Amino acid sequence: MRIQAALVESVGGPFTLRDVDIDEPRRDEILVRITAAGICHTDLSTRQVWPRLPMVFGHEGVGLVEAVGSAVTTVAPGDSVCLSYRSCGTCGNCSAGRSAYCQTGIHALNASGTRTDNSTPLSRNGSPVFGSFFGQSSFATHALAYESNCVKIPADLDPVLAAPLGCGVQTGAGTALNVLRPTAHSSLVVFGAGSVGLSAVMAAVAQGASVVAVDPVASRRAVAQDLGAIAALDPADVDDVATAVREITRGGTHHALDTTGRPAVISQAIGSLRPRGTLALVGIGKTAEFDIMTVMTKGIQLRGVIEGDAVPQRFIPHLIALHAQGRLPVEKLITRYPFSEIEAAARAAASGEVIKPVLTFG
């Protein structure tokens, strides 16, 4: 079947629309006609280093099921679906409701560029095109997905609002609601007010928590306060971020969330916490240095989090319900772009001009 996809054809190269061919769905696969797709920071950072080219990225797809393989029972043609990360569904962690830490291999299922048998469902002029990114590669008019990452959603839900739920919103809101679990009597500081950080702000505010956001971009700080943050700090405007947060939260925050992955920011987050506080790390980084004595003597917990500790089939419907109640105004983060303008959307996201670009398909 001939489709149109946004290919990255060189390391760090642009998204370029090309005609490609996609396989018919195998017995465990679901063919989805994409109606909207969010652009996530992971798409942008990964294209800078991805070795297997040409490649189709995209992992916040929403669309309509067009065909299913013989083994698929949870969705049917005509269903509206939101796509998320893929997991095996059978390992110990998946069976225990911790599919974000699938033991079969998050890399093999989500970030290898191929199916698990090393085949790719995409080709161009007879040559392989790599894909299967997060079990979808949704920067295309059609994508092949799986039951583990395909969540049925209401047919009348705007696909543009649904798209970020599959990763960015799930990660931020999930880290707040599933891991940190702030209450009306607790506080949270969020470092980095992009789509993940602001989703955490929304979710924590919905629980009645006092939230502080830290970000160097004025427009993002303004959005954080519009979403209910009690303060939004520019790290360049204060002598010491950790001290400022401790003063605002009267002795230190109960919870902290870092979306940056930057060592200096992680140290600030640790310094912001009160005794027995918890820091959740969701930003991708390699190494960080911090004062071990501070962590030990204050009883601080450090917690790495993938995909908000969320099981998509359970958590995405919960996010949709929160939005319907007016408690998760995802629309305040979104800027719409036609699919044909994907590269412009990506550049706007990378520069900080927009928070969450979402592609629309005619």
Side-chain angles (χ1 to χ4, degrees):
M1 176 182 173
R2 184 64 53 88
I3 67 171
Q4 192 173 59
L7 269 61
V8 173
E9 299 176 290
S10 60
V11 176
F15 295 110
T16 306
L17 298 190
R18 305 291 190 196
D19 289 335
V20 302
D21 294 307
I22 190 170
D23 290 351
E24 294 298 315
R26 292 181 175 181
R27 64 184 302 274
D28 62 341
E29 293 178 337
I30 301 163
L31 179 66
V32 179
R33 177 171 64 83
I34 301 298
T35 54
I39 296 179
C40 181
H41 179 73
T42 302
D43 298 306
L44 304 181
S45 60
T46 306
R47 74 164 169 171
Q48 301 298 324
V49 298
W50 192 265
R52 310 185 81 177
L53 301 168
M55 175 71 183
V56 180
F57 292 100
H59 63 285
E60 291 184 343
V62 168
L64 297 172
V65 175
E66 288 203 341
V68 300
S70 60
V72 174
T73 61
T74 55
V75 296
D79 286 343
S80 295
V81 293
C82 179
L83 306 182
S84 187
Y85 70 90
R86 188 183 175 197
S87 57
C88 77
T90 59
C91 70
N93 279 345
C94 286
S95 298
R98 297 188 293 267
S99 56
Y101 310 99
C102 175
Q103 292 165 275
T104 296
I106 288 295
H107 174 81
L109 296 177
N110 294 275
S112 66
T114 64
R115 297 178 172 112
T116 54
D117 65 359
N118 292 320
S119 68
T120 176
L122 303 171
S123 61
R124 183 168 182 250
N125 299 325
S127 297
V129 171
F130 295 101
S132 299
F133 195 55
F134 282 66
Q136 52 179 286
S137 284
S138 52
F139 289 165
T141 56
H142 291 74
L144 285 172
Y146 300 84
E147 287 187 302
S148 68
N149 71 328
C150 195
V151 180
K152 188 174 178 179
I153 61 174
D156 60 352
L157 180 63
D158 183 351
V160 171
L161 297 180
L165 305 184
C167 183
V169 176
Q170 176 171 259
T171 297
T175 301
L177 299 178
N178 300 330
V179 178
L180 298 175
R181 300 183 179 182
T183 68
H185 304 290
S186 68
S187 54
L188 166 68
V189 59
V190 176
F191 289 85
S195 62
V196 172
L198 290 172
S199 295
V201 170
M202 283 189 282
V205 168
Q207 300 303 110
S210 299
V211 182
V212 178
V214 181
D215 196 283
V217 180
S219 60
R220 297 189 175 200
R221 296 196 303 274
V223 173
Q225 290 189 289
D226 182 50
L227 292 171
I230 62 170
L233 302 179
D234 181 348
D237 281 351
V238 294
D239 292 333
D240 182 77
V241 172
T243 299
V245 172
R246 289 198 304 271
E247 290 175 352
I248 292 169
T249 57
R250 299 180 180 181
T253 183
H254 297 85
H255 313 287
L257 189 158
D258 174 68
T259 71
T260 72
R262 297 177 180 175
V265 178
I266 292 171
S267 292
Q268 291 172 351
I270 292 172
S272 301
L273 289 164
R274 67 179 57 201
R276 294 184 54 78
T278 301
L279 167 60
L281 302 172
V282 304
I284 301 299
K286 292 186 177 180
T287 61
E289 293 184 2
F290 53 86
D291 184 348
I292 295 176
M293 187 61 70
T294 297
V295 172
M296 291 177 63
T297 58
K298 292 177 69 175
I300 288 171
Q301 298 182 64
L302 303 181
R303 176 70 151 79
V305 185
I306 294 293
E307 291 288 350
D309 260 24
V311 177
Q313 284 74 13
R314 295 201 296 264
F315 196 61
I316 289 175
H318 179 58
L319 295 175
I320 292 171
L322 286 176
H323 179 267
Q325 297 163 12
R327 301 170 67 198
L328 197 77
V330 179
E331 62 275 6
K332 294 186 177 184
L333 312 184
I334 291 172
T335 303
R336 301 177 185 230
Y337 289 83
F339 182 43
S340 60
E341 296 181 15
I342 181 173
E343 180 59 23
R347 292 183 183 277
S351 69
E353 179 183 344
V354 301
I355 296 170
K356 171 56 70 173
V358 177
L359 306 170
T360 59
F361 295 72

